[in-house]
Amino acid sequence: MTGAVVGDDLPGRTLLGCNNIIGHHAVVGVKCQDLKYKSGDECFLEVGDNNDIREHTSIHRSSKSSDTTVIGNNNLIMGSCHIAHDCKIGNSIIFANNTLLAGHVVVEDYAHTAGAVVVHQFCHVGSFSFIGGGSVIAQDVPKYMMVAGERAELRGLNLEGLRRHGFTAQEIRSLRTAYQKIFMPAEISKGFDERLADMEMRDELAHVSVVCSMVQSIRDSFEGKRRGICKFRHWNGS
């Protein structure tokens, strides 16, 4: 569209797939704002197919030659969003207006943000999750969950999103049971790790694939240099 800028006179490349719309005055594939970027280094952006990138959005190339900013397929990125260097964006995601992602953020498939959301660098946003408007995300959002708040807290499962994407009633019941036992336990003497371990031992839930996926998403957030997960307001664990 009018005023859009795609690519920049930099080493490296901006690669766009098919059927993408680049909105009015959007800026896609320019130099990142990371002060660690060294002039002359190659930097990369790869955009898949069928993305609607609306007006005044900015998407930056990677901050180093060994990494790439990646946008998947079939995403709606509404006006005035920002996707910083080295982010990894999956497929079929909706970013509402003024969603701002710092560097190295990972957003998995079918995630959805409301407007004016800010995501801290290196955070992960799990698939089928929902972030309420005006939220500040300083830690990971696990799969299937809904978060909101100035320092976002877990507010339950993204039930409406799960229904819309075809999760069965039984899968949703299993996820609700698992969520309640992990984050809303009747017995508060057990720590968070113990509650996760108990969940993995329960025969009626341990073999439900969506429950296993949710538990693994939570565990992954505490591995290596990850930031942990958004807190639950009545969370009694560490």
Side-chain angles (χ1 to χ4, degrees):
M1 299 293 186
T2 304
V5 175
V6 178
D8 203 348
D9 186 17
L10 296 168
R13 67 176 181 270
T14 295
L15 178 64
L16 270 67
C18 300
N19 302 317
N20 293 295
I21 297 173
I22 311 297
H24 297 282
H25 302 284
V27 179
V28 176
V30 299
K31 186 176 76 172
C32 69
Q33 297 173 148
D34 187 348
L35 294 178
K36 295 188 296 296
Y37 173 74
K38 297 178 181 179
S39 180
D41 281 359
E42 290 189 322
C43 48
F44 304 97
L45 167 66
E46 295 182 2
V47 179
D49 303 331
N50 305 310
N51 295 288
D52 190 355
I53 300 169
R54 296 299 299 269
E55 59 275 4
H56 300 285
T57 287
S58 57
I59 303 176
H60 291 174
R61 290 201 211 175
S62 61
S63 62
K64 52 189 177 182
S65 59
S66 60
D67 209 338
T68 304
T69 305
V70 177
I71 312 293
N73 306 313
N74 305 305
N75 298 298
L76 172 56
I77 303 172
M78 297 187 194
S80 301
C81 290
H82 174 66
I83 299 174
H85 58 89
D86 308 299
C87 285
K88 303 291 186 289
I89 309 303
N91 305 306
S92 301
I93 291 162
I94 298 175
F95 292 139
N97 301 74
N98 294 293
T99 292
L100 310 177
L101 308 184
H104 302 277
V105 168
V106 175
V107 183
E108 297 177 0
D109 299 350
Y110 298 101
H112 187 172
T113 73
V117 165
V118 178
V119 184
H120 192 284
Q121 62 193 28
F122 292 101
C123 283
H124 287 231
V125 178
S127 56
F128 300 99
S129 61
F130 180 83
I131 301 175
S135 297
V136 176
I137 306 300
Q139 293 175 288
D140 291 358
V141 180
K143 288 183 176 183
Y144 314 130
M145 297 191 190
M146 178 170 59
V147 302
E150 187 274 330
R151 280 292 184 269
E153 299 175 336
L154 301 181
R155 301 301 176 97
L157 294 169
N158 179 22
L159 295 174
E160 186 59 32
L162 296 177
R163 294 187 189 103
R164 289 182 180 182
H165 287 101
F167 284 67
T168 67
Q170 181 57 53
E171 287 175 323
I172 292 173
R173 280 195 296 271
S174 296
L175 285 169
R176 291 183 76 165
T177 299
Y179 182 94
Q180 289 167 358
K181 292 188 177 299
I182 295 170
F183 296 107
M184 306 169 66
E187 183 181 352
I188 62 174
S189 59
K190 292 186 177 181
F192 183 66
D193 287 337
E194 291 179 280
R195 298 200 294 272
L196 279 179
D198 285 350
M199 183 58 51
E200 293 167 324
M201 296 295 291
R202 296 177 66 92
D203 289 339
E204 72 273 24
L205 295 173
H207 302 295
V208 179
S209 61
V210 291
V211 173
C212 294
S213 183
M214 182 180 76
V215 171
Q216 189 59 53
S217 175
I218 295 168
R219 287 200 178 280
D220 288 346
S221 292
F222 294 94
E223 295 295 328
K225 295 182 179 180
R226 296 277 290 272
R227 298 180 59 81
I229 65 173
C230 293
K231 298 298 187 290
F232 179 65
R233 63 179 65 190
H234 300 303
W235 193 6
N236 293 295
S238 57

